[in-house]
Amino acid sequence: MAEVQSYRLFNVQLLHKSHVSPSLLSLVFGGPDVANMKCDSPDQRIKMLFPSEDGSIPSLPEHGQWYSLLQELPKEKRPIVRTYTLRHVDRERQQVTVEFVSHGTEGPASAWAISSQSGDKIQIVAPNADYPADSGGYEWTPPAGLRQGLIIADETAIPAARGILELLSKQQNPPEIQAFFEVPEQGDCVDLSEFCFAKIHWLPRKAVNARHGECLLKAVSECAKLPTAAGITETVNEEAEGELLWDKATTASNAFYGWVAAESSVVKMLRRYLIGECGVSHDAINFMAYWSKGRER
Ligand SMILES: Cc1cc2nc3c(=O)[nH]c(=O)nc-3n(C[C@H](O)[C@H](O)[C@H](O)COP(=O)(O)OP(=O)(O)OC[C@H]3O[C@@H](n4cnc5c(N)ncnc54)[C@H](O)[C@@H]3O)c2cc1C
C-alpha cells in the first residue's frame, strides 16, 4: 500500500473571488478532495501550482511524489510553484480560501490571481487529513498561557496574521498582543477592532511615500514594548548571499513570543534591531522571509 503523505496534491477550481481590501484578493476554491485537506495552524503554508510557461493547466497525478513528478516534466510544461497561506478550509463544503496580494503582473501567481475567473483549475499541495500525525508546515507555536505577543507583518503575511488573531480571540484569556501591519494603501487598513486584546498599528506606506518596510522599522523602533528581561544583546548571524532568512522560535517561556514575516531585507533589519539592539531572545521570536524583492520565489 502507498505510504500516506503528510502533504498531498489537491485538484481545485476557482469558485469566487472578492477583494478583502484594495491590495488583497480572496479566492475561494472548491473540489471534492478538499474534504481531505486539513489546516493545523493559522500560518499553515501550502504550495500552489499555476499554469506553466506554455500555458498548460497543472495536472500532476494526485497521489505520488508531486515534486519529483514535476521535475520530470520539460521546463516549459512544469507548473509554476509559489508558497501561500491556507486562510480557511471548510471540509464540509469542500472549499478552501487563499488570499493573494495583487502586486502586479510580473509575478505569475499575482498575475494569475488578478486575471483568474470562476471555473479556472489549479492544483494545491496542502496538509493531508489522512496523515495520522502532525503534517508540519507552520511556525506559530506559542507557549501555553502566553502573556505578551508581538506580530509584525507586511501585506503578504496579513492572511496568516489575521488568522493568528482569530485563533487567539477564541481563548478565554488571550495574551496582550502588539501588532504592526504594513500595507500598500490606506484602504488596506481594515477594521480589526473586534480583537480588543490587540493593539494594532496599521502602517499604509503610500500615504507617506515610504519604501517597503520603512514604516514597519520606524513604528517598531518607536512603539514596540519589549519584554523587560530583554537587554542582553546577541550577535546576529547573517545568512549567506542568496539564502532566505527563516528562524524558528524555540522558547518554552510564556512571558513573550514573537512572529515576524515580511520581505526578506525588512525581516533581516527587524531581527538586527530586536535581537542585536534590544536584546530580545532569539529563542522567543520567529523571523520569516516571505518573499524577496527582485527575486522569484
Ligand atoms: C510561508 C509563506 C506564506 C505566504 N503566504 C502568502 C499569502 O497568503 N498571500 C500572498 O500574497 N503572499 C504570500 N506569500 C508570499 C508569496 O509567496 C510571494 O509574494 C511570491 O513571490 C508571489 O509570487 P509571484 O509569482 O506573484 O511573484 P514572483 O514570481 O515570485 O516574483 C516576481 C517579482 O515580484 C516581486 N514580488 C513578489 N511578491 C511581491 C509582493 N507581495 N509585493 C511586491 N513585489 C513582489 C518579486 O520580488 C519579483 O521581483 C507567502 C510566502 C511564504 C514563504
Side-chain angles (χ1 to χ4, degrees):
M1 220 172 72
E3 191 190 334
V4 180
Q5 295 173 31
S6 57
Y7 267 65
R8 56 157 279 206
L9 217 123
F10 294 86
N11 282 305
V12 293
Q13 67 179 59
L14 182 62
L15 299 179
H16 30 256
K17 179 162 86 172
S18 57
H19 274 276
V20 176
S21 72
S23 310
L24 199 62
L25 291 166
S26 169
L27 272 66
V28 181
F29 300 90
D33 273 4
V34 175
N36 289 323
M37 195 184 279
K38 68 173 171 173
C39 183
D40 288 328
S41 172
D43 64 343
Q44 185 81 60
R45 52 186 176 269
I46 53 172
K47 295 287 180 195
M48 303 200 71
L49 275 54
F50 300 100
S52 54
E53 277 169 23
D54 73 355
S56 316
I57 307 294
S59 57
L60 294 174
E62 276 188 17
H63 298 281
Q65 300 291 339
W66 70 274
Y67 194 69
S68 327
L69 293 166
L70 178 139
Q71 293 294 324
E72 284 165 15
L73 293 171
K75 189 171 174 289
E76 68 284 359
K77 292 209 171 301
R78 269 181 221 160
I80 292 170
V81 183
R82 295 288 184 268
T83 310
Y84 278 82
T85 303
L86 208 43
R87 181 69 175 96
H88 185 62
V89 178
D90 185 334
R91 286 165 67 173
E92 242 168 69
R93 298 174 70 193
Q94 302 167 346
Q95 292 184 359
V96 50
T97 307
V98 180
E99 291 174 359
F100 290 75
V101 174
S102 55
H103 65 85
T105 51
E106 62 164 337
S110 169
W112 185 89
I114 292 167
S115 66
S116 60
Q117 299 194 345
S118 296
D120 284 355
K121 292 182 176 163
I122 55 159
Q123 293 187 305
I124 297 180
V125 179
N128 181 3
D130 292 334
Y131 187 67
D134 185 343
S135 291
Y138 58 88
E139 312 303 342
W140 175 256
T141 48
L146 175 66
R147 295 202 303 270
Q148 193 191 339
L150 175 67
I151 303 176
I152 304 179
D154 74 2
E155 59 269 35
T156 61
I158 294 291
R162 281 187 72 170
I164 291 171
L165 293 175
E166 286 162 13
L167 184 71
L168 290 173
S169 70
K170 292 181 186 146
Q171 290 182 11
Q172 210 172 6
N173 289 310
E176 192 187 304
I177 295 288
Q178 298 173 80
F180 295 87
F181 294 158
E182 186 184 294
V183 287
E185 308 187 15
Q186 185 64 46
D188 294 315
C189 309
V190 297
D191 180 15
L192 298 180
S193 54
E194 69 197 276
F195 304 113
C196 46
F197 55 91
K199 166 87 183 114
I200 296 170
H201 302 258
W202 277 112
L203 308 161
R205 60 178 168 269
K206 278 187 194 158
V208 289
N209 225 352
R211 285 193 309 274
H212 199 104
E214 218 177 315
C215 298
L216 270 182
L217 292 161
K218 187 169 184 293
V220 169
S221 60
E222 285 175 2
C223 309
K225 280 190 277 153
L226 299 168
T228 47
I232 308 157
T233 57
E234 293 180 44
T235 310
V236 176
N237 295 323
E238 298 288 340
E239 287 61 43
E241 188 68 33
E243 228 174 86
L244 281 178
L245 167 57
W246 202 271
D247 267 5
K248 178 154 175 60
T250 52
T251 189
S253 154
N254 68 355
F256 177 83
Y257 185 76
W259 187 96
V260 179
E263 194 279 328
S264 172
S265 62
V266 177
V267 177
K268 275 187 191 167
M269 284 189 273
L270 285 163
R271 185 175 64 165
R272 243 177 258 144
Y273 173 73
L274 291 166
I275 295 182
E277 287 185 40
C278 302
V280 175
S281 165
H282 73 269
D283 289 343
I285 186 156
N286 298 280
F287 291 99
M288 294 154 293
Y290 265 27
W291 63 287
S292 182
K293 215 177 179 78
R295 183 171 146 181
E296 285 182 5
R297 186 75 209 260

